[in-house]
Amino acid sequence: MYSVPSKAHLRGIAIYKGPTFQTVRQFYQPMYDKPSQLHTPDWRTTLYWNPTIKTNAIGQATLSFYAADGTATYRAVVEGLTSQGQLGSGTGEVKVR
């Protein structure tokens, strides 16, 4: 349990006692590679999410995922950290026709 130091040690510092990190949840992805007799329309707005993608020695990774049933343009957002803790991000578009 966290104990609060005396006020003399906390000048200029605010203490936050609210919720902290959220537990990891599994992201649902339909299994289209396994045939099903009943097809339910896929109207997902988030197509792919993976918090543990690792790149190769030159910083590249290959991803594959299934698109939803509707035609749309999706925004691809990639965010990550280097092994030295530097932040990186990028965006792009994925068009489904």
Side-chain angles (χ1 to χ4, degrees):
M1 189 73 183
Y2 176 74
S3 62
V4 178
S6 70
K7 289 184 179 184
H9 293 101
L10 298 176
R11 284 192 191 110
I13 297 175
I15 295 178
Y16 176 71
K17 293 184 180 181
T20 57
F21 295 104
Q22 187 173 351
T23 57
V24 176
R25 291 186 282 171
Q26 186 72 24
F27 180 75
Y28 171 76
Q29 291 184 12
M31 295 185 183
Y32 290 118
D33 53 341
K34 295 183 180 177
S36 172
Q37 292 180 348
L38 178 63
H39 175 70
T40 304
D42 182 359
W43 303 116
R44 293 173 296 145
T45 56
T46 301
L47 299 181
Y48 185 79
W49 181 82
N50 186 341
T52 57
I53 296 169
K54 301 227 183 234
T55 59
N56 62 16
I58 58 174
Q60 296 176 336
T62 300
L63 309 172
S64 63
F65 55 90
Y66 292 98
D69 287 337
T71 59
T73 299
Y74 292 91
R75 182 172 43 122
V77 178
V78 178
E79 298 174 334
L81 295 168
T82 68
S83 58
Q84 292 81 30
Q86 296 172 312
L87 296 173
S89 67
T91 59
E93 287 186 347
V94 176
K95 292 186 181 191
V96 178
R97 298 177 188 185

